[in-house]
Every structure is written in structure tokens, then in C-alpha cells.
Amino acid sequence: MSDNFKVKNMDINKLKIAIQKTGRLTDKTVELLKKCGLSFELYKETLTVNCTNFPLELLMLRDDDIPNYVGNGIAQLGICGENLVLEKEADVTVLKRLNFGHCSLTIAVPNNSACKEISNLNGKKIATSYPNILAKFLKKENIKAEVIKICGSAEISPNLGLSDAIFDLVSTGGTLKSNGLKPFYTVLQSEAVLICLPGKENDDIISQLLFRISSVMKAEQNKYVVLNIEKENISKIIELLPGLKSPTVVPLAEEGWVALHSVIPETDFWEKINKLKDAGAQGILVISAEKMII
Ligand code: ATP
Ligand code: ZN
């Protein structure tokens, strides 16, 4: 078969990544791939998008289809919610959790429900578009409840008398509230994940992309800090800012002073900044890092 063989504009020899065409994950997914240095242009209604500077093609799909497209090898990579990977029970490898698209799969009940503990779900009807995850959970907890499979808008089913509870994705809880429901039990915390076709984990292009994604994510989790300090206080500051290996120290024009460059994890950023000030740091400059290669 020729290297240039194409089916409906799809180069079947090129590595493909399936991503959500339009939805909650689309913007962040595209942003991540662009931050990885991939160059491509999205056009409405196109199924395939070519990267011009990396051997990869984007397949623009409904999120529900992504796990199976990857599991069947039509795409070798995909980005979708972990919720769908588990629900579709597709044979894929999760390469990386991507720290966006956070939501939970939660059982919710009407505000006036008498349910207090999960055993109270025995004999109840639960509507969901995630029947597989729910059935597994009920089995594990030894609860005999009826799973009513629906496609979307589970939140209206208790009001319509179709079910006693629902099992659905929740992020802020606003939709539950406006339908007179309250969260009852969270079964799964989900986020977007990078998945691949089993056996492709060590593919060269996939490893390169994973390396770029990891570098972008590490940079997002850290801040680059530059500050001035009197030489005599250096050891106190180095204790607070160990840096990647050790901080960079550069002499200032003013005698007795140095500038110190280091990296702080985003998680304890404010706590560290206050401690640095207390230790005598001045002129603290905080810069977002674009990529971190370590
Ligand atoms: P599609 O047209 O691609 O089938 P969809 O309407 O099924 O889209 P979206 O609502 O765009 O899907 O959600 C995509 C993913 O975003 C979910 O599978 C989930 O992983 C994640 N997500 C994050 N927060 C929420 C939320 N509050 N509700 C639903 N999904 C959420
Ligand atoms: Zn969907």
C-alpha cells in the first residue's frame, strides 16, 4: 500500500489522536496540543485535521466514540473523560491523567428522599447513561437496585416518575439543584485522560508526544521565581527553595546582594511566598514557565 494512500482525506498510515469535536473537553484539549508545539488549524465540520509540524492527525469525534476508536486501533491515541473509558470498557491503556475535565459520577436523590446510606438504594430505580459503571458499583456493594438506561438528561427522570435516583456526571452541582436533587454518593472522580491502543505505549511518536505533554503539565504545576536577597540570608532561602537541582545564584551590582532563581510548586505557592518574605526576600518576581524538561 502506498505511503500516501488516503481514505476520504484520512491518511491511514499516519498516527491518529481522537479528540472531542465540540464539547466541554475540546478547548482544553486543543490548548494542550498547541502548547505541545503542534501546529494545526481547525475547520468546522472536518473529521480529520493534519498537524503540519508533527506526524500526527487529529480525528474529531463525539466523546462517546473515542474509547472504542482507540480500542479498535482506528486511532492510536485519544483524549476523553475517564468516565467514558470505564463505561465503554474499551481495551485501551491510560497513559496520563491530564488534570482538566474534572467531574464526578455521583448518585443523586430528590431533596426529600429518605435515603441515608447506600443500602437504602435496595429496591430503588436509578436512571443513568452510565449503566456499566453503576451496575459494577451496585454489585460490589451488594445492592439490588434497578438500573434504568437512558441517553442524557438523567436529572429530569425522578421528577417524571421514571426513577427514584439518578447516576450522572456532576461538577458544580448546579443542574442537580435546579432539578430538586442532592448528591448522595460519589462513585468515581473523573478527569480527562490520554489513552492509547495497547501495545503502542513505546511507539516513538507517542513517547515524544507524551514527553511534551508531561513537560507542559509540569510547567503548569510550577512557577519560576526570581528574588533578591542579602548574601547572609542565602542559606535560609535555599532551604525554602531547593529548586530542581539547586537554585541559581547571581551576584547583584550592589555589594552584598544576590538574585536567586528557582522553581516553586503551584500547590504551596502562597505559603512559600510568605515564608520567603519573612526570610528577607525582596523584589520577588513570579513567572509562568511554559515547559519544564526534567
Ligand atoms: P458529545 O457531543 O461529544 O457526545 P457530550 O455532550 O456527551 O458531548 P460533554 O458534555 O461535552 O459531552 O462532556 C464531555 C466530558 O467532559 C464528559 O464525558 C466528562 O468527562 C467531562 N465533564 C466535566 N464536567 C462535566 C459536567 N459537569 N457534566 C458533564 N461532563 C463533564
Ligand atoms: Zn457524549
Side-chain angles (χ1 to χ4, degrees):
M1 194 183 301
S2 137
D3 274 351
N4 296 324
F5 187 76
K6 292 189 177 187
V7 180
K8 288 185 187 162
N9 293 328
M10 187 167 95
D11 183 345
I12 61 166
N13 292 312
K14 211 168 182 184
L15 202 71
K16 285 168 202 61
I17 182 165
I19 67 168
Q20 192 184 24
K21 186 176 170 56
T22 31
R24 290 173 199 260
L25 302 180
T26 309
D27 288 353
K28 291 268 183 171
T29 302
V30 169
E31 188 186 314
L32 176 64
L33 295 178
K34 294 240 164 175
K35 280 185 179 168
C36 288
L38 305 193
S39 179
F40 54 86
E41 279 189 63
L42 296 178
Y43 296 103
K44 255 191 182 170
E45 303 309 324
T46 35
L47 168 70
T48 62
V49 177
N50 194 31
C51 289
T52 53
N53 61 351
F54 194 77
L56 188 68
E57 205 166 16
L58 275 54
L59 275 193
M60 311 300 290
L61 301 174
R62 283 200 57 197
D63 65 345
D64 311 64
D65 296 332
I66 293 173
N68 287 330
Y69 267 74
V70 177
N72 293 333
I74 294 167
Q76 296 74 28
L77 286 168
I79 292 180
C80 65
E82 191 189 13
N83 49 304
L84 284 172
V85 175
L86 296 173
E87 179 59 28
K88 301 293 174 188
E89 296 173 346
D91 183 15
V92 296
T93 306
V94 173
L95 287 181
K96 190 152 186 75
R97 303 177 74 81
L98 298 174
N99 198 25
F100 66 87
H102 290 278
C103 54
S104 61
L105 261 172
T106 296
I107 298 172
V109 294
N111 287 332
N112 60 3
S113 164
C115 283
K116 290 272 176 292
E117 50 192 56
I118 43 173
S119 62
N120 298 142
L121 292 170
N122 271 304
K124 297 280 195 284
K125 291 178 184 168
I126 311 174
T128 186
S129 46
Y130 290 87
N132 290 328
I133 297 176
L134 178 59
K136 270 191 188 157
F137 169 75
L138 294 173
K139 191 170 173 210
K140 185 175 95 202
E141 298 294 332
N142 204 16
I143 291 164
K144 304 261 175 299
E146 186 182 343
V147 177
I148 301 179
K149 189 179 169 187
I150 50 153
C151 297
S153 301
E155 64 279 359
I156 56 171
S157 63
N159 286 327
L160 297 176
L162 181 71
S163 70
D164 304 296
I166 67 164
F167 176 57
D168 205 0
L169 290 176
V170 176
S171 50
T172 59
T175 311
L176 291 185
K177 215 170 182 184
S178 55
N179 284 281
L181 302 172
K182 60 181 179 184
F184 174 63
Y185 193 90
T186 291
V187 173
L188 175 80
Q189 298 285 0
S190 176
E191 67 189 274
V193 288
L194 176 72
I195 53 175
C196 92
L197 176 66
K200 285 279 176 186
E201 294 83 353
N202 297 320
D203 175 284
D204 184 40
I205 303 295
I206 291 180
S207 303
Q208 281 184 45
L209 184 66
L210 183 59
F211 177 68
R212 292 190 189 193
I213 289 177
S214 301
S215 305
V216 169
M217 288 181 66
K218 263 181 216 134
E220 278 170 1
Q221 286 154 12
N222 289 280
K223 297 276 182 219
Y224 189 79
V225 187
V226 182
L227 55 86
N228 296 331
I229 187 88
E230 270 184 298
K231 264 185 184 166
E232 64 200 43
N233 291 329
I234 272 190
S235 54
K236 277 194 272 175
I237 298 284
I238 291 181
E239 248 173 63
L240 291 167
L241 287 184
L244 295 178
K245 196 161 192 162
S246 69
T248 308
V249 180
V250 190
L252 290 189
E254 189 175 331
E255 192 56 37
W257 282 78
V258 291
L260 192 138
H261 296 225
S262 192
V263 169
I264 308 186
E266 178 80 54
T267 39
D268 52 358
F269 176 74
W270 286 110
E271 196 196 327
K272 276 270 161 82
I273 289 291
N274 287 332
K275 285 187 179 159
L276 289 171
K277 275 166 57 189
D278 292 345
Q282 293 183 12
I284 304 173
L285 189 64
V286 180
I287 305 159
S288 293
E290 194 177 305
K291 299 187 179 63
M292 258 174 78
I293 318 291
I294 43 178

